[in-house]
Amino acid sequence: MVLLTTPIGEYDKRVVLLTKERGKIAAFARGARRPNNPLSGATEPFSFGSFSLYEGRTSYTMVSASISNYFAELRMDVEGACYGFYFMDIANYYAREANDETELLKLLYQTLRALAKKSIPDRLIRYIYELKAITINGEGPDVFHCVICRKSTEGRFFSPLKGGLVCDGCRPHSVDCLPMDPSTLYAMQYIETSSIEKLYTFAVSEKVLGELGAIMKRYMEIYVDRHFKSLDILEQMIGA
């Protein structure tokens, strides 16, 4: 999938691709800014498909592309596009070169499909994506044991600083606990353990949505050491 496109010179583009075989790679698309060039549309963000690249000594050159999904719905939906660009920024942040990024690519693709379908709220899609992406990267919170006493629990609090669930007994030992409804806990457990194909198949109450939003906002602030301009634009648009 094309994550990022940058104009180079008068007619070329530099394209950042998320691939399952080689992780994140950058390639040059020669002449892709010329009118009617076959690589013009294929090198736009959200383009998903198969790309043929020539590997040089220091860089890749794109030879051809066969696009199976342009996500045209998002290109015509300003708010949807803003969510999409934020999701791609997160993928770009986590993806590594020469790494198996099959799960991250699959997550991004299924998330954009859910965003285009509009079957569940965009806010819920965002929180699911954030939690699953950070979990795939190995930094997901512990939502099955109290992070202080390590006992299995149905605790009612979440500590972003300590990285997970806090039981009632340990609550006084954590200064940043956020309230957590049992349904919020269940939703987080489901997101972390479910297959990507089953992620966007449930809805939650406004209360749970609000708690998920508060938890993920603080958790991302602590564990993601990058400021995304796309998130600023998104939150300005939706009034968050």
Side-chain angles (χ1 to χ4, degrees):
M1 180 174 287
V2 176
L3 298 180
L4 182 66
T5 299
T6 307
I8 299 292
E10 191 172 357
Y11 297 113
D12 304 336
K13 291 181 181 180
R14 181 182 181 272
V15 181
V16 176
L17 296 171
L18 177 61
T19 74
K20 61 181 181 180
E21 301 93 343
R22 301 199 179 188
K24 182 173 67 174
I25 61 177
F28 291 97
R30 308 295 182 189
R33 297 173 63 204
R34 292 180 181 274
N36 302 319
N37 185 284
L39 293 178
S40 179
T43 52
E44 290 299 310
F46 303 129
S47 298
F48 176 85
S50 299
F51 297 82
S52 297
L53 307 175
Y54 169 76
E55 186 175 3
R57 283 188 292 180
T58 59
S59 64
Y60 291 90
T61 298
M62 188 177 297
V63 178
S64 63
S66 176
I67 305 302
S68 59
N69 196 337
Y70 287 96
F71 288 100
E73 306 95 329
L74 299 182
R75 298 171 189 264
M76 296 183 290
D77 176 6
V78 176
E79 185 173 313
C82 287
Y83 273 101
F85 280 116
Y86 172 55
F87 297 156
M88 290 194 295
D89 277 350
I90 291 178
N92 189 28
Y93 170 80
Y94 278 126
R96 297 292 180 265
E97 295 181 14
N99 194 37
D100 183 350
E101 298 292 1
T102 302
E103 288 297 289
L104 186 59
L105 177 60
K106 186 190 299 183
L107 174 63
L108 180 59
Y109 179 74
Q110 294 295 345
T111 302
L112 294 183
R113 286 189 63 194
L115 196 61
K117 286 182 178 179
K118 300 292 186 184
S119 56
I120 63 174
D122 291 347
R123 288 168 58 206
L124 179 57
I125 293 173
R126 170 186 169 179
Y127 306 146
I128 292 173
Y129 178 78
E130 289 173 337
L131 179 54
K132 194 66 171 182
I134 208 167
T135 299
I136 289 174
N137 194 57
E139 297 178 332
D142 187 341
V143 290
F144 292 93
H145 307 87
C146 174
V147 292
I148 298 176
C149 69
R150 302 307 303 162
K151 294 179 181 178
S152 297
T153 179
E154 293 295 325
R156 296 180 298 167
F157 302 97
F158 184 92
S159 170
L161 281 174
K162 294 187 180 298
L165 196 63
V166 174
C167 68
D168 293 352
C170 293
R171 168 68 179 87
H173 304 293
S174 183
V175 298
D176 70 327
C177 281
L178 299 172
M180 176 183 284
D181 187 88
S183 295
T184 305
L185 173 60
Y186 177 77
M188 295 184 72
Q189 291 173 338
Y190 181 85
I191 293 165
E192 288 199 6
T193 58
S194 292
S195 66
I196 291 171
E197 291 81 2
K198 295 181 179 179
L199 279 179
Y200 300 105
T201 58
F202 68 96
V204 297
S205 67
E206 279 296 320
K207 179 182 179 181
V208 171
L209 195 60
E211 289 185 358
L212 279 175
I215 289 171
M216 289 313 304
K217 178 179 176 61
R218 185 66 184 128
Y219 200 83
M220 295 286 285
E221 288 174 349
I222 294 171
Y223 294 95
V224 178
D225 60 351
R226 180 173 299 177
H227 184 80
F228 300 112
K229 290 184 179 179
S230 56
L231 180 58
D232 291 339
I233 295 171
L234 172 62
E235 292 187 335
Q236 184 177 9
M237 172 166 288
I238 64 178

